[in-house]
Amino acid sequence: MKILVIHAHPLKDSLSASLRQAVIDGLSNAGHEADVVDLYQDGFAPCLTAPERAAYMTPGPYAVPDDLKGYCDRLKAADGIVLVFPQWWFGMPAILKGFIDRIFVPGVAFEHDRGGGRLIPLLRHLKLFHVVTTTGAPWWVAELVMRNPVRRQISMGIRRFCAGPVPFRMISLYNLDRASDAKRTAFVARV
């Protein structure tokens, strides 16, 4: 399978970069191909433009800007997606949210139901939708207090509305700010 690995962290020597590499190595060892998008390395511009937003609900085919077509083609060609990112303030980094805003668009990831209201997934060919993430919050804060907004947004929103009931898995390292080197190393090995 060809898996689109989307990474969002600005530091090349971060734990997130180690997790991205672990994902790539794991996919390779299992006989899969990793197509890696490193949003910071690419200098991805995350801001949805006014014309892009206006086109969302315009009848007819969505006109993907030329500088984004390559990303859209890679998304459509993928057999699966793995997002690798840290959680900041109980959310994904802005660059990743902007990637989703600008690439998971009508005609690529979904279609609007002409009857109004619902979205029709176009990424139904995906066989998996996984997330590898870290958070500074302890498990009980992220899960019990905040109710894991990242998992809900990605699984119940993005995945379901764009890919349908494709298998979803999210693995998280909680309490990162207090995690020992051994715990971090064990998490990379798990990934």
Side-chain angles (χ1 to χ4, degrees):
M1 288 195 306
K2 185 175 189 175
I3 308 299
L4 185 62
V5 178
I6 303 167
H7 180 242
H9 196 290
L11 302 177
K12 293 180 181 184
D13 62 349
S14 66
L15 175 60
S16 187
S18 296
L19 294 170
R20 177 198 63 220
Q21 192 58 50
V23 168
I24 294 166
D25 293 345
L27 289 169
S28 178
N29 291 340
H32 303 296
E33 177 186 349
D35 177 10
V36 182
V37 172
D38 188 319
L39 297 173
Y40 281 95
Q41 184 176 328
D42 287 1
F44 185 81
C47 293
L48 185 69
T49 66
E52 288 170 339
R53 182 60 186 117
Y56 256 66
M57 299 304 287
T58 303
Y62 182 84
V64 175
D66 289 340
D67 61 326
L68 302 180
K69 285 181 181 174
Y71 291 112
C72 293
D73 291 343
R74 291 164 77 180
L75 176 62
K76 291 190 289 188
D79 296 308
I81 296 173
V82 179
L83 305 176
V84 182
F85 63 92
Q87 293 181 45
W88 294 330
W89 291 108
F90 302 100
M92 63 182 77
I95 199 167
L96 179 56
K97 178 61 170 72
F99 181 84
I100 291 166
D101 289 347
R102 298 188 76 203
I103 304 303
F104 286 61
V105 294
V108 175
F110 65 90
E111 285 291 344
H112 293 285
D113 181 355
R114 295 286 179 215
R118 76 181 188 100
L119 302 180
I120 301 166
L122 293 181
L123 299 177
R124 287 193 179 269
H125 64 281
L126 294 179
K127 294 171 182 62
L128 63 90
F129 201 125
H130 291 182
V131 176
V132 176
T133 188
T134 60
T135 180
W139 176 89
W140 66 272
V141 172
E143 296 291 341
L144 301 177
V145 176
M146 297 302 295
R147 305 233 186 240
N148 206 329
V150 169
R151 179 189 311 272
R152 283 196 330 267
Q153 179 185 31
I154 295 172
S155 177
M156 300 305 293
I158 299 161
R159 175 196 58 115
R160 185 167 303 264
F161 293 133
C162 296
V166 63
F168 178 80
R169 182 174 183 201
M170 181 168 156
I171 57 173
S172 305
L173 175 60
Y174 297 96
N175 213 11
L176 176 62
D177 298 340
R178 294 174 192 82
S180 65
D181 287 341
K183 187 172 183 177
R184 292 170 190 234
T185 301
F187 186 70
V188 172
R190 178 181 172 209
V191 169

